[in-house]
Short mmCIF file of all heavy atoms in Angstrom, two decimals:
data_model
loop_
_atom_site.label_atom_id
_atom_site.label_comp_id
_atom_site.label_asym_id
_atom_site.label_seq_id
_atom_site.Cartn_x
_atom_site.Cartn_y
_atom_site.Cartn_z
N GLU A 55 39.28 -22.98 104.41
CA GLU A 55 38.54 -22.07 105.28
C GLU A 55 37.11 -22.46 105.45
O GLU A 55 36.53 -22.47 106.49
CB GLU A 55 38.64 -20.63 104.77
CG GLU A 55 38.01 -19.58 105.60
CD GLU A 55 38.09 -18.20 105.09
OE1 GLU A 55 38.88 -17.93 104.20
OE2 GLU A 55 37.32 -17.35 105.55
N ALA A 56 36.48 -22.90 104.32
CA ALA A 56 35.10 -23.35 104.31
C ALA A 56 34.95 -24.57 105.21
O ALA A 56 34.03 -24.66 106.05
CB ALA A 56 34.60 -23.65 102.92
N ILE A 57 35.88 -25.51 105.08
CA ILE A 57 35.82 -26.76 105.94
C ILE A 57 35.98 -26.38 107.42
O ILE A 57 35.27 -26.91 108.24
CB ILE A 57 36.88 -27.74 105.45
CG1 ILE A 57 36.52 -28.31 104.05
CG2 ILE A 57 37.08 -28.85 106.48
CD1 ILE A 57 37.62 -29.08 103.43
N ALA A 58 36.93 -25.51 107.70
CA ALA A 58 37.12 -25.12 109.10
C ALA A 58 35.92 -24.46 109.71
O ALA A 58 35.53 -24.78 110.87
CB ALA A 58 38.33 -24.19 109.20
N GLU A 59 35.27 -23.55 108.95
CA GLU A 59 34.12 -22.89 109.50
C GLU A 59 32.89 -23.83 109.62
O GLU A 59 32.15 -23.75 110.59
CB GLU A 59 33.80 -21.64 108.63
CG GLU A 59 34.79 -20.56 108.70
CD GLU A 59 34.92 -20.01 110.12
OE1 GLU A 59 33.91 -19.84 110.82
OE2 GLU A 59 36.09 -19.74 110.54
N LEU A 60 32.72 -24.72 108.64
CA LEU A 60 31.60 -25.66 108.72
C LEU A 60 31.83 -26.61 109.89
O LEU A 60 30.84 -26.98 110.57
CB LEU A 60 31.50 -26.41 107.42
CG LEU A 60 30.90 -25.61 106.23
CD1 LEU A 60 31.03 -26.35 104.91
CD2 LEU A 60 29.49 -25.16 106.51
N THR A 61 33.07 -27.00 110.11
CA THR A 61 33.42 -27.87 111.28
C THR A 61 32.96 -27.17 112.56
O THR A 61 32.39 -27.82 113.46
CB THR A 61 34.83 -28.26 111.28
OG1 THR A 61 35.16 -28.97 110.08
CG2 THR A 61 35.18 -29.18 112.46
N LYS A 62 33.24 -25.87 112.67
CA LYS A 62 32.85 -25.13 113.91
C LYS A 62 31.33 -25.11 114.06
O LYS A 62 30.82 -25.01 115.16
CB LYS A 62 33.35 -23.70 113.77
CG LYS A 62 34.83 -23.54 113.98
CD LYS A 62 35.22 -22.06 113.84
CE LYS A 62 36.69 -21.90 113.80
NZ LYS A 62 37.08 -20.48 113.53
N GLN A 63 30.57 -25.22 112.94
CA GLN A 63 29.13 -25.23 113.02
C GLN A 63 28.55 -26.66 113.20
O GLN A 63 27.38 -26.87 113.15
CB GLN A 63 28.55 -24.68 111.67
CG GLN A 63 28.92 -23.27 111.38
CD GLN A 63 28.52 -22.79 110.01
OE1 GLN A 63 27.44 -23.26 109.50
NE2 GLN A 63 29.31 -21.97 109.38
N GLY A 64 29.41 -27.67 113.44
CA GLY A 64 29.00 -29.00 113.75
C GLY A 64 29.00 -29.97 112.67
O GLY A 64 28.56 -31.10 112.78
N TYR A 65 29.52 -29.57 111.51
CA TYR A 65 29.58 -30.44 110.32
C TYR A 65 30.95 -31.19 110.42
O TYR A 65 31.93 -30.84 109.85
CB TYR A 65 29.45 -29.68 109.02
CG TYR A 65 28.13 -29.06 108.84
CD1 TYR A 65 27.84 -27.77 109.30
CD2 TYR A 65 27.09 -29.75 108.19
CE1 TYR A 65 26.60 -27.25 109.16
CE2 TYR A 65 25.88 -29.21 108.00
CZ TYR A 65 25.60 -27.92 108.48
OH TYR A 65 24.34 -27.38 108.33
N THR A 66 30.94 -32.24 111.27
CA THR A 66 32.18 -32.89 111.63
C THR A 66 32.47 -34.22 110.92
O THR A 66 33.57 -34.72 110.94
CB THR A 66 32.24 -33.12 113.14
OG1 THR A 66 31.05 -33.91 113.50
CG2 THR A 66 32.25 -31.78 113.91
N THR A 67 31.46 -34.80 110.27
CA THR A 67 31.63 -36.05 109.57
C THR A 67 32.23 -35.84 108.21
O THR A 67 31.81 -34.89 107.54
CB THR A 67 30.28 -36.82 109.44
OG1 THR A 67 29.74 -37.03 110.77
CG2 THR A 67 30.43 -38.13 108.75
N ASP A 68 33.23 -36.59 107.83
CA ASP A 68 33.87 -36.51 106.56
C ASP A 68 33.26 -37.47 105.56
O ASP A 68 33.63 -38.65 105.61
CB ASP A 68 35.38 -36.69 106.71
CG ASP A 68 36.14 -36.56 105.40
OD1 ASP A 68 35.60 -35.98 104.41
OD2 ASP A 68 37.30 -37.07 105.37
N PHE A 69 32.32 -37.00 104.78
CA PHE A 69 31.60 -37.92 103.86
C PHE A 69 32.44 -38.21 102.64
O PHE A 69 33.23 -37.32 102.18
CB PHE A 69 30.29 -37.33 103.43
CG PHE A 69 29.21 -37.38 104.41
CD1 PHE A 69 28.75 -36.21 105.06
CD2 PHE A 69 28.65 -38.61 104.81
CE1 PHE A 69 27.77 -36.26 105.98
CE2 PHE A 69 27.65 -38.64 105.79
CZ PHE A 69 27.20 -37.49 106.35
N ASN A 70 32.30 -39.43 102.08
CA ASN A 70 32.89 -39.79 100.79
C ASN A 70 31.76 -40.10 99.85
O ASN A 70 30.67 -40.54 100.26
CB ASN A 70 33.76 -41.02 101.01
CG ASN A 70 35.01 -40.70 101.84
OD1 ASN A 70 35.86 -39.98 101.45
ND2 ASN A 70 35.01 -41.19 103.08
N LEU A 71 31.99 -39.96 98.59
CA LEU A 71 31.02 -40.17 97.55
C LEU A 71 31.28 -41.50 96.84
O LEU A 71 32.38 -41.80 96.41
CB LEU A 71 31.09 -39.03 96.55
CG LEU A 71 30.20 -39.06 95.30
CD1 LEU A 71 28.73 -39.02 95.78
CD2 LEU A 71 30.55 -37.89 94.40
N ASP A 72 30.24 -42.27 96.78
CA ASP A 72 30.25 -43.56 96.00
C ASP A 72 29.28 -43.31 94.83
O ASP A 72 28.63 -42.30 94.75
CB ASP A 72 29.84 -44.69 96.87
CG ASP A 72 30.06 -46.00 96.17
OD1 ASP A 72 31.16 -46.58 96.30
OD2 ASP A 72 29.14 -46.48 95.47
N GLN A 73 29.20 -44.24 94.00
CA GLN A 73 28.33 -44.20 92.81
C GLN A 73 26.92 -43.92 93.15
O GLN A 73 26.27 -43.06 92.59
CB GLN A 73 28.40 -45.54 92.09
CG GLN A 73 28.07 -45.49 90.63
CD GLN A 73 28.37 -46.89 90.05
OE1 GLN A 73 28.49 -47.87 90.68
NE2 GLN A 73 28.50 -46.84 88.76
N ASN A 74 26.38 -44.55 94.21
CA ASN A 74 24.98 -44.46 94.55
C ASN A 74 24.70 -43.92 95.95
O ASN A 74 23.51 -43.79 96.32
CB ASN A 74 24.39 -45.87 94.49
CG ASN A 74 24.43 -46.44 93.10
OD1 ASN A 74 23.96 -45.81 92.15
ND2 ASN A 74 24.99 -47.62 92.99
N PHE A 75 25.70 -43.57 96.73
CA PHE A 75 25.44 -43.12 98.09
C PHE A 75 26.63 -42.36 98.65
O PHE A 75 27.69 -42.33 98.07
CB PHE A 75 25.14 -44.38 99.04
CG PHE A 75 26.20 -45.45 98.92
CD1 PHE A 75 27.32 -45.38 99.65
CD2 PHE A 75 25.98 -46.57 98.12
CE1 PHE A 75 28.30 -46.38 99.63
CE2 PHE A 75 26.94 -47.56 98.04
CZ PHE A 75 28.04 -47.51 98.78
N LEU A 76 26.42 -41.77 99.83
CA LEU A 76 27.48 -41.11 100.58
C LEU A 76 27.81 -42.09 101.74
O LEU A 76 26.92 -42.85 102.24
CB LEU A 76 27.05 -39.82 101.25
CG LEU A 76 26.67 -38.70 100.24
CD1 LEU A 76 26.27 -37.47 101.09
CD2 LEU A 76 27.81 -38.38 99.31
N TYR A 77 29.07 -42.13 102.21
CA TYR A 77 29.41 -42.98 103.31
C TYR A 77 30.45 -42.35 104.19
O TYR A 77 31.24 -41.44 103.71
CB TYR A 77 29.83 -44.35 102.87
CG TYR A 77 31.15 -44.34 102.05
CD1 TYR A 77 32.38 -44.57 102.63
CD2 TYR A 77 31.13 -44.10 100.67
CE1 TYR A 77 33.56 -44.60 101.90
CE2 TYR A 77 32.26 -44.10 99.95
CZ TYR A 77 33.45 -44.28 100.57
OH TYR A 77 34.62 -44.32 99.80
N ALA A 78 30.46 -42.71 105.47
CA ALA A 78 31.44 -42.26 106.43
C ALA A 78 31.30 -43.09 107.69
O ALA A 78 30.17 -43.27 108.21
CB ALA A 78 31.23 -40.78 106.75
N ASN A 79 32.40 -43.61 108.23
CA ASN A 79 32.46 -44.25 109.51
C ASN A 79 31.33 -45.29 109.68
O ASN A 79 30.66 -45.36 110.69
CB ASN A 79 32.36 -43.23 110.66
CG ASN A 79 33.38 -42.16 110.58
OD1 ASN A 79 34.50 -42.39 110.20
ND2 ASN A 79 32.99 -40.93 110.92
N GLY A 80 31.13 -46.15 108.67
CA GLY A 80 30.10 -47.14 108.71
C GLY A 80 28.70 -46.75 108.41
O GLY A 80 27.79 -47.56 108.38
N VAL A 81 28.51 -45.47 108.19
CA VAL A 81 27.16 -44.97 107.90
C VAL A 81 27.10 -44.81 106.34
O VAL A 81 27.97 -44.32 105.71
CB VAL A 81 26.93 -43.57 108.52
CG1 VAL A 81 25.65 -42.92 108.03
CG2 VAL A 81 27.03 -43.66 110.02
N VAL A 82 25.94 -45.28 105.79
CA VAL A 82 25.69 -45.14 104.37
C VAL A 82 24.44 -44.38 104.19
O VAL A 82 23.41 -44.63 104.81
CB VAL A 82 25.55 -46.58 103.73
CG1 VAL A 82 25.14 -46.44 102.26
CG2 VAL A 82 26.89 -47.33 103.88
N LEU A 83 24.45 -43.33 103.35
CA LEU A 83 23.35 -42.51 103.08
C LEU A 83 22.95 -42.55 101.58
O LEU A 83 23.77 -42.13 100.74
CB LEU A 83 23.59 -41.04 103.49
CG LEU A 83 23.90 -40.77 104.94
CD1 LEU A 83 24.17 -39.33 105.13
CD2 LEU A 83 22.74 -41.15 105.81
N GLU A 84 21.75 -42.99 101.27
CA GLU A 84 21.26 -42.92 99.95
C GLU A 84 20.79 -41.49 99.65
O GLU A 84 20.54 -40.75 100.59
CB GLU A 84 20.14 -43.92 99.76
CG GLU A 84 20.67 -45.34 99.88
CD GLU A 84 19.67 -46.42 99.51
OE1 GLU A 84 18.75 -46.10 98.71
OE2 GLU A 84 19.76 -47.50 100.00
N PRO A 85 20.65 -41.08 98.43
CA PRO A 85 20.25 -39.74 98.06
C PRO A 85 19.03 -39.22 98.77
O PRO A 85 19.03 -38.01 99.17
CB PRO A 85 20.03 -39.80 96.57
CG PRO A 85 20.93 -40.90 96.10
CD PRO A 85 20.91 -41.95 97.18
N HIS A 86 18.03 -39.99 99.07
CA HIS A 86 16.85 -39.50 99.72
C HIS A 86 17.02 -39.37 101.25
O HIS A 86 16.15 -38.82 101.90
CB HIS A 86 15.65 -40.43 99.42
CG HIS A 86 15.76 -41.78 100.09
ND1 HIS A 86 16.48 -42.78 99.50
CD2 HIS A 86 15.28 -42.26 101.27
CE1 HIS A 86 16.42 -43.82 100.27
NE2 HIS A 86 15.68 -43.53 101.35
N GLN A 87 18.14 -39.78 101.74
CA GLN A 87 18.39 -39.76 103.24
C GLN A 87 19.22 -38.54 103.72
O GLN A 87 19.56 -38.51 104.89
CB GLN A 87 19.10 -41.06 103.69
CG GLN A 87 18.26 -42.27 103.46
CD GLN A 87 19.01 -43.51 103.84
OE1 GLN A 87 20.09 -43.79 103.31
NE2 GLN A 87 18.39 -44.29 104.75
N PHE A 88 19.48 -37.59 102.84
CA PHE A 88 20.20 -36.41 103.30
C PHE A 88 19.77 -35.22 102.52
O PHE A 88 19.16 -35.28 101.51
CB PHE A 88 21.74 -36.60 103.15
CG PHE A 88 22.21 -36.74 101.69
CD1 PHE A 88 22.51 -35.57 100.99
CD2 PHE A 88 22.37 -37.93 101.10
CE1 PHE A 88 22.98 -35.67 99.70
CE2 PHE A 88 22.80 -38.07 99.78
CZ PHE A 88 23.13 -36.91 99.09
N GLU A 89 20.07 -34.02 103.07
CA GLU A 89 19.87 -32.79 102.45
C GLU A 89 21.13 -31.93 102.36
O GLU A 89 21.96 -32.07 103.23
CB GLU A 89 18.79 -31.98 103.14
CG GLU A 89 19.14 -31.43 104.50
CD GLU A 89 18.02 -30.55 105.07
OE1 GLU A 89 17.43 -29.69 104.33
OE2 GLU A 89 17.78 -30.68 106.28
N ILE A 90 21.23 -31.15 101.37
CA ILE A 90 22.33 -30.25 101.23
C ILE A 90 21.92 -28.92 101.85
O ILE A 90 21.00 -28.31 101.41
CB ILE A 90 22.75 -30.09 99.76
CG1 ILE A 90 23.21 -31.45 99.27
CG2 ILE A 90 23.83 -29.03 99.64
CD1 ILE A 90 23.36 -31.45 97.73
N VAL A 91 22.71 -28.53 102.87
CA VAL A 91 22.36 -27.31 103.65
C VAL A 91 23.08 -26.10 103.06
O VAL A 91 22.52 -25.01 102.97
CB VAL A 91 22.68 -27.50 105.10
CG1 VAL A 91 22.38 -26.23 105.92
CG2 VAL A 91 21.96 -28.72 105.66
N GLN A 92 24.34 -26.28 102.69
CA GLN A 92 25.11 -25.16 102.09
C GLN A 92 26.04 -25.79 101.03
O GLN A 92 26.40 -26.92 101.11
CB GLN A 92 25.97 -24.49 103.14
CG GLN A 92 25.14 -23.79 104.23
CD GLN A 92 26.03 -23.21 105.28
OE1 GLN A 92 27.01 -22.47 105.01
NE2 GLN A 92 25.75 -23.53 106.55
N VAL A 93 26.37 -24.89 100.05
CA VAL A 93 27.28 -25.29 98.94
C VAL A 93 28.24 -24.20 98.68
O VAL A 93 27.87 -23.01 98.60
CB VAL A 93 26.53 -25.62 97.64
CG1 VAL A 93 27.43 -25.93 96.50
CG2 VAL A 93 25.50 -26.70 97.88
N TYR A 94 29.50 -24.54 98.51
CA TYR A 94 30.57 -23.59 98.15
C TYR A 94 31.32 -24.12 96.98
O TYR A 94 31.79 -25.22 97.04
CB TYR A 94 31.50 -23.27 99.32
CG TYR A 94 30.76 -22.82 100.51
CD1 TYR A 94 30.32 -23.71 101.51
CD2 TYR A 94 30.39 -21.46 100.63
CE1 TYR A 94 29.58 -23.24 102.62
CE2 TYR A 94 29.68 -21.04 101.70
CZ TYR A 94 29.26 -21.91 102.69
OH TYR A 94 28.50 -21.47 103.74
N ARG A 95 31.42 -23.32 95.93
CA ARG A 95 32.08 -23.77 94.71
C ARG A 95 33.35 -22.96 94.51
O ARG A 95 33.35 -21.73 94.65
CB ARG A 95 31.16 -23.59 93.49
CG ARG A 95 31.84 -23.98 92.21
CD ARG A 95 30.76 -23.83 91.09
NE ARG A 95 31.48 -24.03 89.81
CZ ARG A 95 30.81 -24.06 88.68
NH1 ARG A 95 29.53 -23.87 88.64
NH2 ARG A 95 31.51 -24.22 87.57
N TYR A 96 34.46 -23.62 94.18
CA TYR A 96 35.75 -23.01 93.99
C TYR A 96 36.28 -23.37 92.59
O TYR A 96 36.32 -24.54 92.22
CB TYR A 96 36.73 -23.45 95.04
CG TYR A 96 36.28 -23.01 96.40
CD1 TYR A 96 35.45 -23.79 97.18
CD2 TYR A 96 36.64 -21.74 96.88
CE1 TYR A 96 34.98 -23.36 98.42
CE2 TYR A 96 36.14 -21.34 98.13
CZ TYR A 96 35.32 -22.17 98.84
OH TYR A 96 34.83 -21.74 100.07
N GLU A 97 36.71 -22.35 91.87
CA GLU A 97 37.24 -22.56 90.52
C GLU A 97 38.71 -22.23 90.55
O GLU A 97 39.11 -21.19 91.06
CB GLU A 97 36.54 -21.65 89.51
CG GLU A 97 35.11 -22.06 89.35
CD GLU A 97 34.41 -21.27 88.29
OE1 GLU A 97 35.03 -20.62 87.45
OE2 GLU A 97 33.15 -21.28 88.31
N GLY A 98 39.54 -23.12 89.96
CA GLY A 98 40.97 -22.86 89.83
C GLY A 98 41.23 -21.76 88.81
O GLY A 98 40.53 -21.69 87.82
N ASN A 99 42.19 -20.91 89.07
CA ASN A 99 42.52 -19.84 88.12
C ASN A 99 43.05 -20.32 86.84
O ASN A 99 42.74 -19.83 85.75
CB ASN A 99 43.50 -18.85 88.78
CG ASN A 99 42.83 -18.04 89.92
OD1 ASN A 99 41.65 -17.85 89.87
ND2 ASN A 99 43.64 -17.63 90.85
N THR A 100 43.95 -21.33 86.93
CA THR A 100 44.56 -21.81 85.67
C THR A 100 44.45 -23.33 85.52
O THR A 100 44.56 -23.79 84.42
CB THR A 100 46.06 -21.44 85.65
OG1 THR A 100 46.68 -22.00 86.81
CG2 THR A 100 46.22 -19.93 85.60
N ASP A 101 44.26 -24.05 86.58
CA ASP A 101 44.27 -25.51 86.57
C ASP A 101 42.92 -26.04 86.93
O ASP A 101 42.43 -25.93 88.08
CB ASP A 101 45.31 -26.05 87.55
CG ASP A 101 45.47 -27.54 87.47
OD1 ASP A 101 44.73 -28.21 86.75
OD2 ASP A 101 46.35 -28.10 88.12
N PRO A 102 42.23 -26.72 85.95
CA PRO A 102 40.89 -27.29 86.29
C PRO A 102 40.95 -28.28 87.42
O PRO A 102 39.91 -28.51 88.08
CB PRO A 102 40.53 -28.03 84.97
CG PRO A 102 41.29 -27.31 83.95
CD PRO A 102 42.61 -26.90 84.56
#
Side-chain angles (χ1 to χ4, degrees):
E55 184 180 344
I57 291 170
E59 290 302 318
L60 289 170
T61 299
K62 288 179 189 175
Q63 296 172 35
Y65 294 89
T66 56
T67 301
D68 181 18
F69 286 110
N70 294 290
L71 177 63
D72 191 88
Q73 204 171 20
N74 299 304
F75 52 84
L76 297 180
Y77 64 95
N79 305 324
V81 174
V82 174
L83 299 176
E84 293 188 27
H86 69 277
Q87 295 178 305
F88 66 88
E89 69 175 317
I90 297 169
V91 180
Q92 296 177 51
V93 177
Y94 302 95
R95 180 177 171 174
Y96 297 89
E97 295 184 16
N99 290 332
T100 57
D101 185 357

